[in-house]
Amino acid sequence: MTEHTSNPAENAIVVTDLTKRYGRMVALDAVNLTVPNNTMFALLGPNGAGKTTLIHILCTILRADGGQAFLAGSDIARQPLQARQNIGVVFQEPSLDDRLTAYENLDFHGRVYNVKAADRKQGIDELLALVELEDWRHAVVRTFSSGMKRRLEIARALLHKPRILFLDEPTVGLDAQSRAGIWSYLDTLRKQRDLTVVVTTHYIEEVENCDQVSIIDHGKIIADGSPSQLKHAHGKETARVTPRDPETATAITAKFGIVQTSKDGSLIIDASAPGFADAFLGEFGSRIKQVSFDVPSLESVFLTLTGRELRDRGADEHEKRGAAGRRGRRS
């Protein structure tokens, strides 16, 4: 794993032995994590891994049962208000008031955070320009596309100038062009504002350019490092095979074993052994519909470590119910 100093004052996020339980289920099991300042950080995990619980604790929505967490030097348990001032949050579910205009949504957020009028106006102008919504500043949000709404949510989360931006599945449901645009805005923001960005996503290819990636499973961080470090340490060359019939699938599994059965029914096989391609095609070439070979990637790292594909949703029902209940009581 990547080594970082754990001094809270020198890092954006420092988590030590963080624990959370839902009844008998352990959602977080003594998690330790350090995210340096001005880092593009991605947290990946399969369904029910504890990813959403960890994010909600760091955003002060949930309380941990044990351990400590610091955001920009503030202890989230002892200094929650100070911690909240240092973070901006964009949740997966839309949270804009679609009866208001883009400007009114941003202005209201600035007033909640006690941003001075002059700073509020300047910040709104700058952020609307950055996310290319200045021509829609007085348009009612219900007329916006999904991509426009997500860009406005990012602008809103940054209006009070937080040091850390949390984004939970920021590009889910968006087309490829909108997704690429979101990542471009985030990269620009980070360079301009010395901002730490923490993102969860089920589009694993989107985190290839992140500085640091942590993979969580069964409530524990099981791997941590840059994408290249993770691929070097855990990645494997794999073959994705589609058998012609169940008998062939059974024979392939018995012969080579499988890393994972994909959602489309194909088998993902460890193909890192010397001469694998020739041996496999020589024996099964006429009995398969198609085969493709993949070099080590973050997807192969994820499969190797968790035995699962990255799911579309990052939280199990325990996590979602717990977070929703606490948000309801706060509103």
Side-chain angles (χ1 to χ4, degrees):
M1 291 191 180
T2 304
E3 294 294 333
H4 304 295
T5 175
S6 59
N7 186 340
E10 298 177 2
N11 293 281
I13 301 172
V14 175
V15 173
T16 305
D17 295 332
L18 205 64
T19 302
K20 180 66 180 178
R21 295 179 179 85
Y22 297 108
R24 294 182 178 181
M25 190 198 80
V26 179
L28 296 179
D29 188 1
V31 167
N32 292 280
L33 181 67
T34 301
V35 180
N37 290 314
N38 195 26
T39 296
M40 184 74 80
F41 171 78
L43 182 67
L44 301 180
N47 189 42
K51 177 179 58 178
T52 296
T53 293
L54 177 57
I55 292 296
H56 284 172
I57 289 174
L58 293 178
C59 292
T60 72
I61 295 172
L62 291 175
R63 277 189 173 273
D65 295 322
Q68 282 186 305
F70 293 86
L71 298 180
S74 299
D75 186 323
I76 63 172
R78 298 180 179 180
Q79 303 164 296
L81 293 179
Q82 186 173 326
R84 289 171 199 158
Q85 287 289 338
N86 286 319
I87 66 172
V89 185
V90 178
F91 291 111
Q92 182 177 343
E93 298 299 325
S95 58
L96 296 167
D97 190 330
D98 66 1
R99 299 164 298 180
L100 301 180
T101 65
Y103 183 92
E104 288 168 339
N105 268 278
L106 296 181
D107 185 65
F108 179 76
H109 179 86
R111 292 173 184 271
V112 169
Y113 276 86
N114 295 316
V115 179
K116 294 180 180 179
D119 294 336
R120 199 165 63 240
K121 181 180 183 305
Q122 180 181 351
I124 291 173
D125 291 343
E126 291 176 353
L127 287 167
L128 286 176
L130 176 69
V131 298
E132 300 179 7
L133 289 175
E134 62 266 49
D135 292 341
W136 288 272
R137 64 191 294 125
H138 297 306
V140 177
V141 169
R142 67 177 52 178
T143 66
F144 285 14
S145 68
S146 296
M148 292 168 68
K149 290 178 180 177
R150 188 48 50 99
R151 281 149 49 194
L152 182 61
E153 286 185 302
I154 292 173
R156 182 184 62 179
L158 292 165
L159 185 60
H160 61 287
K161 296 184 177 179
R163 295 172 60 183
I164 305 168
L165 176 63
F166 287 94
L167 302 115
D168 185 15
E169 306 281 4
T171 61
V172 69
L174 302 183
D175 58 59
Q177 183 176 3
S178 296
R179 286 165 50 196
I182 294 296
W183 283 98
S184 177
Y185 298 134
L186 293 176
D187 189 53
T188 300
L189 282 165
R190 188 168 67 95
K191 292 174 180 177
Q192 289 181 348
R193 296 197 170 204
D194 193 29
L195 183 71
T196 298
V197 178
V198 177
V199 63
T200 71
T201 179
H202 71 268
Y203 298 111
I204 201 164
E205 71 277 6
E206 291 185 339
V207 306
E208 287 283 353
N209 294 322
C210 286
D211 302 304
Q212 181 181 344
V213 177
S214 288
I215 298 176
I216 186 170
D217 198 16
H218 301 296
K220 290 180 174 290
I221 301 295
I222 58 175
D224 176 71
S226 68
S228 61
Q229 288 171 334
L230 291 175
K231 284 184 278 189
H232 179 75
H234 305 285
K236 291 182 179 180
E237 184 174 356
T238 58
R240 190 179 293 264
V241 181
T242 305
R244 291 189 180 277
D245 50 62
E247 291 75 17
T248 300
T250 300
I252 290 173
T253 301
K255 177 74 175 182
F256 296 101
I258 58 172
V259 175
Q260 176 70 21
T261 301
S262 188
K263 294 177 182 178
D264 61 6
S266 61
L267 307 179
I268 303 173
I269 305 168
D270 182 354
S272 58
F276 171 86
D278 290 340
F280 179 82
L281 293 174
E283 184 169 356
F284 293 101
S286 63
R287 301 168 61 185
I288 60 175
K289 293 179 182 179
Q290 63 182 26
V291 59
S292 60
F293 293 90
D294 298 320
V295 298
S297 63
L298 281 178
E299 183 177 15
S300 70
V301 169
F302 195 86
L303 286 168
T304 299
L305 291 171
T306 70
R308 288 173 278 179
E309 290 188 301
L310 197 60
R311 305 286 178 84
D312 286 357
R313 295 188 179 273
D316 64 9
E317 291 303 315
H318 291 285
E319 294 183 283
K320 289 186 283 186
R321 284 199 299 266
R326 285 161 178 79
R327 280 202 297 269
R329 288 196 292 273
R330 289 186 179 198
S331 60

